[in-house]
Amino acid sequence: MEKYDKALAFLKKTSVRGIVEGLSRVEELLRLMGDPQEKCKIVHISGTNGKGSVGAMIASVLTSAGYQTGSFSSPAITSVTDSFRINCVEVDRGLFADVILYIAGFWERMSDKPTEFEVLTAAAFEIFVREKCDIAVVECGLGGDMDSTNVIKEPLLSVITNVQRDHCGMLGNTLAEIAAHKAGIIKQGRPVFFGGESAEALKVIRSAAEKCSSELFTPELSAFRLLDDEVFATEFMYKGEKYVTPLIGTYQFKNAVNAVSCIEILRKYGIDIPEAALKSGLADVKWHGRFELMHRDPIVISDGAHNPDGIREAAESIRRCFGTKKLILLIGVMADKEYRLYPEMLGGSVEKAYTVTPDNPRSLDSSVLAEVFMDSGIPAESFKVFSDGVRSAYDHAKRSGIPMIALGSLYMYREFSSALNELTDHI
């Protein structure tokens, strides 16, 4: 598609600036566009982990309730259009290209050029307007206060899923420092939800909420109970009713608790969401790359765990699903992550690690990662060609009849799913 190719070429041009702090560029761009971010009701989500899953659940419930629902998340997992969804369905390339090329005209006129993510953020708001969305669920890219999505003046609800250590070089080295950035999405007089467990972070977020006269909510944990009846689904009780979501992984129960809590807040603030919509929305939710079952014979799972807390959760999920059984590990990571911690966290579950280099300039060389695992006593083999690593890991799993899990970065999901499809029918 010629327009789509032109849009991608333009985005490549905007990417040369990388990450540049400040909201002035995106604010100016949106002003030139007529401030589309002010023409739709928005649920704004920040947090270290769980943003995507919680956002997907909320969007699915709102869609089931009959609302025209937009979604914006990052990073894109399958293609750039995967960041933009209407009623939980990825937007088509024609709409995406039209919006990007529309924005390009304003971008060219600006002296301080917006970054790629700022352009994508502006595109999301414009898509929501063009698709006549009633409500949109918008996920922060990084942090909160200085994230380009933080141009929303009156969100329906501000959500902070949790606060954990990640991107420390940009957000700070303590939970309090990181929480201060996340709390930047709280707006005057608008409700805020915090779903994390850190008392240190909660103190910072409560203070920020009080300064904004914003009602602060936390989950009513006693109202939820996880059921262990089904391994490849998450089932739980909430106020005497049973709910099921196809998203698996131990952390998905926490994400479901947060999503349901947010739905209750939206109800309190006047959004009509019937009980049937809550149940069907959770049951219908789809989300790639989060302990996702991708094949059954052999079992192949993909999880985009990308920091120590995510890897820890993935390790717990492995133990829940497979007990003490050993797995084949395919792993690729970014060089700025604490990857030296991963072998100890995963070691008891790994028969052999196959290391690859994701298609990203920040990726760690696969040979370096293999050495880290071997230094911890875990057999490992590195691959320069990504698809070769997938084939070798898959062949090992199929030959031995043991599960395979792909971990380390959402950036490798597209390559991994493509390579897996070459080997077998995708479920």
Side-chain angles (χ1 to χ4, degrees), residues 19 36 95 100 123 126 182 190 327 424:
I19 298 173
L95 171 62
I100 292 296
E126 181 65 23
K182 309 290 187 188
R190 302 309 304 159
L327 282 76
T424 184

Side-chain angles (χ1 to χ4, degrees), residues 33 36 68 86 94-103 124-133:
M33 295 167 58
Q68 180 81 341
I86 302 297
L95 171 62
F96 171 78
D98 285 343
V99 170
I100 292 296
L101 295 177
Y102 164 73
I103 291 173
F125 294 127
E126 181 65 23
I127 286 171
F128 300 154
V129 171
R130 295 192 185 193
E131 292 297 297
K132 298 180 173 56
C133 290

Side-chain angles (χ1 to χ4, degrees), residues 121-169:
T121 299
F125 294 127
E126 181 65 23
I127 286 171
F128 300 154
V129 171
R130 295 192 185 193
E131 292 297 297
K132 298 180 173 56
C133 290
D134 302 306
I135 303 175
V137 180
V138 175
E139 177 189 324
C140 285
L142 175 65
D145 52 355
M146 287 294 103
D147 187 78
S148 63
T149 63
N150 199 31
V151 292
I152 303 159
K153 294 179 180 178
E154 295 184 8
L156 274 178
L157 173 65
S158 298
V159 179
I160 303 171
T161 57
N162 51 49
V163 175
Q164 296 163 340
R165 287 181 175 83
D166 195 20
H167 299 293
C168 295

Side-chain angles (χ1 to χ4, degrees), residues 51-67:
K51 297 187 295 296
S53 296
V54 171
M57 291 181 193
I58 294 172
S60 185
V61 171
L62 291 171
T63 299
S64 290
Y67 294 100

